[in-house]
Amino acid sequence: MARTKSTTATQEFIANDEVVSLEAQTSSLNQLAVMSQTANENAKAVAAELGYDGSLTVGALEDEIRFYQRRTVEACLELGKRLLLLKELTPHGEFTQRVDLLGISDRMARKLISATLKFSKRNPEAVLAAAGNQTKLLELVILDDGEIEALENGETVRGINLDSLECMTKRELIAKLRASEEDSEAKS
């Protein structure tokens, strides 16, 4: 009886048109596992240091971040309401001093008040949800009421719609709004 050739040689497979040994793949997976374990240990240490006791999965953390971003937008509008009321109650010229004592710049106070006036007239939930955070919300203050309503109805305003607004960074939004403003000024 003839002996079959021993197959103790390294097993290989083709990945992306390259021959990769099973040992090399196993080595890479082991390195990833060690890195992942180190990252998990680091995350647990940071969580303990911060007093965080929630879930440490990427999906859960992203969900919590979205939740707190929405709460931040709501808090900005509530802050703007109170600043507006404070402005009405304080004597002329005293509002700026009071805002400074609160640690809020005059410019930020005016932006918060403007956002509150703009978004409190009606409840543009879709626009606020798409903005997602306070920085983008405060940039949307330059839109007029008709533009906000159009956005809310799913239309494109100044090259922005709800889907693109949700995906944009603050810088991209500012650039888009400035570009549309410059275009309209050039047309005038």
Side-chain angles (χ1 to χ4, degrees):
M1 177 180 251
R3 272 183 81 166
T4 58
K5 186 175 178 182
S6 174
T7 57
T8 58
T10 304
Q11 293 181 354
E12 299 176 342
F13 69 96
I14 298 176
N16 295 331
D17 297 331
E18 293 181 21
V19 176
V20 179
S21 72
L22 190 55
E23 290 173 1
Q25 182 189 28
T26 303
S27 173
S28 295
L29 289 174
N30 287 339
Q31 288 174 343
L32 285 173
V34 168
M35 288 170 49
S36 178
Q37 184 177 5
T38 303
N40 285 338
E41 290 170 2
N42 289 345
K44 287 178 183 177
V46 170
E49 187 177 318
L50 297 174
Y52 175 77
D53 60 354
S55 176
L56 289 177
T57 64
V58 172
L61 289 168
E62 287 175 346
D63 289 343
E64 289 176 353
I65 289 167
R66 285 185 197 98
F67 170 76
Y68 283 107
Q69 283 177 324
R70 281 191 305 274
R71 282 192 51 193
T72 303
V73 168
E74 293 166 3
C76 283
L77 295 176
E78 291 299 321
L79 184 58
K81 286 178 188 176
R82 282 147 184 85
L83 286 168
L84 182 59
L85 293 171
L86 179 65
K87 184 177 180 182
E88 291 299 319
L89 289 172
T90 55
H92 181 73
E94 198 175 302
F95 176 73
T96 303
Q97 294 168 348
R98 292 199 175 269
V99 170
D100 283 341
L101 289 173
L102 292 169
I104 301 171
S105 71
D106 185 52
R107 182 172 182 237
M108 180 57 73
R110 293 187 191 291
K111 274 189 154 187
L112 291 166
I113 289 170
S114 294
T116 298
L117 290 171
K118 182 82 55 181
F119 295 105
S120 293
K121 293 176 184 173
R122 58 185 172 284
N123 201 4
E125 287 297 319
V127 174
L128 294 177
N133 62 52
Q134 75 277 6
T135 54
K136 288 198 287 187
L137 170 76
L138 295 176
E139 295 305 325
L140 292 174
V141 168
I142 67 167
L143 300 177
D144 63 32
D145 292 343
E147 290 173 319
I148 292 171
E149 191 173 321
L151 256 181
E152 195 173 44
N153 293 331
E155 297 174 31
T156 299
V157 174
R158 298 188 187 198
I160 302 167
N161 59 31
L162 289 178
D163 291 335
S164 65
L165 176 61
E166 194 169 357
C167 298
M168 286 179 174
T169 64
K170 175 191 170 190
R171 287 183 180 181
E172 292 169 337
L173 177 61
I174 291 170
K176 193 74 157 178
L177 291 171
R178 283 188 183 154
S180 69
E181 208 168 89
E182 289 170 0
D183 287 346
S184 66
E185 287 176 5
K187 289 177 184 176
S188 296

